[in-house]
Amino acid sequence: MLCALPAALTTWGVHIFRKNILLPQTNSRQFTLMTYNTSSMGLVRYVTDKDREAAIYNTIAYGSPDILCLQEFYTNDQPGKEDHIQRIRYAGNYPYHYFTDDKTHWESWHYGIALFSRYPLIKAAAVRCGESSFGSGSTFLQVDIAIKGDTFRVFSVQLTSYMFNSEDYEKMKAPKGTGLVYKMRRTFRARSDQALQLAALVAQSPYPAIVCGDFNDTPVSFTYKTISRGMQDAFLKTNAGWGRTLSYLSPSLRIDYILAQSPVNIHGSKVFHPGTSEHFPVMACLSLKKN
């Protein structure tokens, strides 16, 4: 039990009685940030599942974050198709946005990582971190944002996934289901390299850094430990329980995170549970510590 304690403390939130502030206080320097893997905005086999799409928009509207970071984002600029960039901009009152546009199908179907903000973007870039035929796991979104007199560097990421399919899950059930070992080994190596690259980018940041997104790994993994070193985990800092962010495979999987360097105050956090989403979004209320 003692040996398992460090793993437990990075997995479970223990702040049962702590006041969890999620709404910014009036006339304060606080702001909110949400990270959400949208699973292509509800697109399934190139057809939008309207229930999933509605759940995504309802959750965003309910949380109404000042900064919205979306992984596995999809948008389509063909007339009559789902132009999610413009729709989210107007619905959420986000005058500023940046989209990595990592992959394009048929000229108008775009996939990548998107960030929407109510605060000005000073500088934004898509930092190459790998190659993926699915688009996900190809870049980090890096952006400097001016917020109430302070500047923050935000990284929104989705690290390489195992991309298991139904055939892979069946192999897991087999008595000698070792056919996935090589696939998992390649993915683990790629994700480890991405974690090291991201940690280096955070260390080089001239501004207080915030990292958010889908790490595709648990809090006891090399990935999480590498990226979170010297950073605060918003859920662990303010919340209680498992903090589950994946709706399938296990009732305890937390693979989506908001991390912040120590100059940043974390006032509260929340995991939302849209009924039809594969991933559950995480939101935090943040500010810069006063000197």
Side-chain angles (χ1 to χ4, degrees):
M1 290 178 65
L2 290 175
C3 290
L5 186 59
L9 292 177
T10 59
T11 301
W12 301 324
V14 297
H15 298 281
I16 300 173
F17 303 108
R18 185 187 188 279
K19 186 177 181 181
N20 196 356
I21 300 172
L22 198 60
L23 296 177
Q25 297 179 355
T26 306
N27 299 322
S28 73
R29 300 165 75 186
Q30 298 174 3
F31 62 95
T32 52
L33 180 147
M34 176 185 284
T35 181
Y36 194 176
N37 181 326
T38 67
S39 301
S40 299
M41 297 299 292
L43 193 70
V44 180
R45 296 184 180 88
Y46 303 107
V47 177
T48 296
D49 182 319
K50 292 301 181 181
D51 290 337
R52 294 188 182 187
E53 181 188 61
I56 293 168
Y57 275 95
N58 290 340
T59 303
I60 293 172
Y62 181 75
S64 188
D66 295 315
I67 301 170
L68 176 62
C69 300
L70 303 178
Q71 302 87 37
E72 276 193 40
F73 181 75
Y74 152 76
T75 190
N76 200 319
D77 50 28
Q78 180 180 336
K81 290 291 186 179
E82 301 87 354
D83 190 344
H84 290 300
I85 286 182
Q86 296 306 322
R87 185 176 169 187
I88 290 175
R89 285 187 63 210
Y90 292 126
N93 188 27
Y94 296 114
Y96 310 99
H97 81 281
Y98 183 76
F99 178 44
T100 60
D101 200 357
D102 296 325
K103 183 179 180 180
T104 300
H105 273 158
W106 305 309
E107 297 185 354
S108 66
W109 301 60
H110 305 282
Y111 304 85
I113 301 174
L115 181 145
F116 299 86
S117 176
R118 293 174 183 152
Y119 298 103
L121 308 185
I122 300 172
K123 184 179 180 181
V127 180
R128 178 63 59 180
C129 66
E131 295 293 336
S132 170
S133 59
F134 297 93
S136 303
S138 300
T139 61
F140 304 142
L141 189 158
Q142 174 184 301
V143 59
D144 297 337
I145 308 178
I147 304 175
K148 300 183 178 181
D150 300 315
T151 302
F152 297 83
R153 177 162 289 181
V154 175
F155 296 90
S156 179
V157 305
Q158 183 186 14
L159 305 190
T160 298
S161 169
Y162 290 116
M163 300 303 295
F164 288 144
N165 52 39
S166 57
E167 182 179 336
D168 292 328
Y169 288 122
E170 288 301 317
K171 289 180 181 178
M172 291 181 188
K173 300 176 185 178
K176 297 182 179 180
T178 59
L180 300 178
V181 170
Y182 293 109
K183 182 176 184 178
M184 295 177 67
R185 183 183 296 171
R186 288 195 303 271
T187 302
F188 176 78
R189 184 178 295 130
R191 194 159 57 227
S192 298
D193 289 343
Q194 290 176 333
L196 291 167
Q197 180 185 356
L198 181 55
L201 290 171
V202 170
Q204 296 164 8
S205 174
Y207 309 113
I210 300 167
V211 176
C212 68
D214 175 10
F215 292 4
N216 271 307
D217 231 332
T218 66
V220 297
S221 65
F222 173 85
T223 300
Y224 175 86
K225 291 178 180 179
T226 299
I227 300 170
S228 66
R229 188 172 295 118
M231 303 190 79
Q232 309 167 88
D233 186 316
F235 177 79
L236 295 181
K237 189 82 174 177
T238 62
N239 227 306
W242 289 104
R244 177 187 186 186
T245 66
L246 192 66
S247 65
Y248 58 96
L249 288 182
S250 168
S252 61
L253 278 179
R254 186 166 74 96
I255 63 174
D256 302 83
Y257 307 90
I258 296 176
L259 308 177
Q261 288 184 317
S262 57
V264 179
N265 277 314
I266 302 176
H267 303 281
S269 67
K270 179 180 177 64
V271 180
F272 295 84
H273 295 90
T276 58
S277 290
E278 292 184 4
H279 287 254
F280 300 146
V282 183
M283 191 165 94
C285 181
L286 310 167
S287 70
L288 191 64
K289 293 179 181 178
K290 297 180 180 179
N291 296 326

